[in-house]
């Protein structure tokens, strides 16, 4: 059982690779057997049909993993300016962020 919990968000501009980074984190931590590819519409974090079709994050995706006895909840945020409200909501729920 993890001893602590950390809530983090991944932030960057559109097409910077936030969702790809999220997929690699899930893979490296053992949460998924293989990382999904955004360009193939197979990313775990992009679950909406429109996200898969457009290849961008529209709604923040939330996932978790355990690493070195710490439980991490992380939010993959949209990068496009039109979805800034999603980023604002994510930031109100986390203690830290990865600026990519």
């Amino acid at each position: 059982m993890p001893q602590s919990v950390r809530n983090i968000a991944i932030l960057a501009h559109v097409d910077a690779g936030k969702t790809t980074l999220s997929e690699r984190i899930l893979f490296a931590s053992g949460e998924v057997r293989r990382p999904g590819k955004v360009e193939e519409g197979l990313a775990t974090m992009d679950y909406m049909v429109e996200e898969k079709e457009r290849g961008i994050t529209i709604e923040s995706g939330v996932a978790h993993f355990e690493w070195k006895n710490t439980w991490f909840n992380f939010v993959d945020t949209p990068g496009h300016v039109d979805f800034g409200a999603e980023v604002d909501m994510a930031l109100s729920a986390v203690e830290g962020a990865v600026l990519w």
Side-chain angles (χ1 to χ4, degrees), residues 84-97:
E86 284 288 318
V87 178
D88 290 344
M89 286 189 293
L91 289 176
S92 69
V94 300
E95 295 96 29

Side-chain angles (χ1 to χ4, degrees), residues 6-26:
R6 299 288 182 261
N7 300 302
I8 58 174
I10 300 173
L11 306 169
H13 63 84
V14 67
D15 292 331
K18 294 175 301 298
T19 300
T20 300
L21 174 63
S22 298
E23 294 295 318
R24 297 307 185 269
I25 289 170
L26 291 173

Side-chain angles (χ1 to χ4, degrees), residues 8 10 18-26 32 35-38 41-48 51-52 56-65 73-78:
I8 58 174
I10 300 173
K18 294 175 301 298
T19 300
T20 300
L21 174 63
S22 298
E23 294 295 318
R24 297 307 185 269
I25 289 170
L26 291 173
V32 296
K37 295 184 179 180
V38 174
L42 300 174
T44 306
M45 301 300 283
D46 287 342
Y47 52 88
M48 294 173 46
E51 290 176 319
K52 293 172 188 275
I56 63 169
T57 301
I58 296 171
E59 289 188 354
S60 295
V62 180
H64 60 84
F65 64 93
N73 297 308
F74 74 98
V75 184
D76 175 28
T77 64

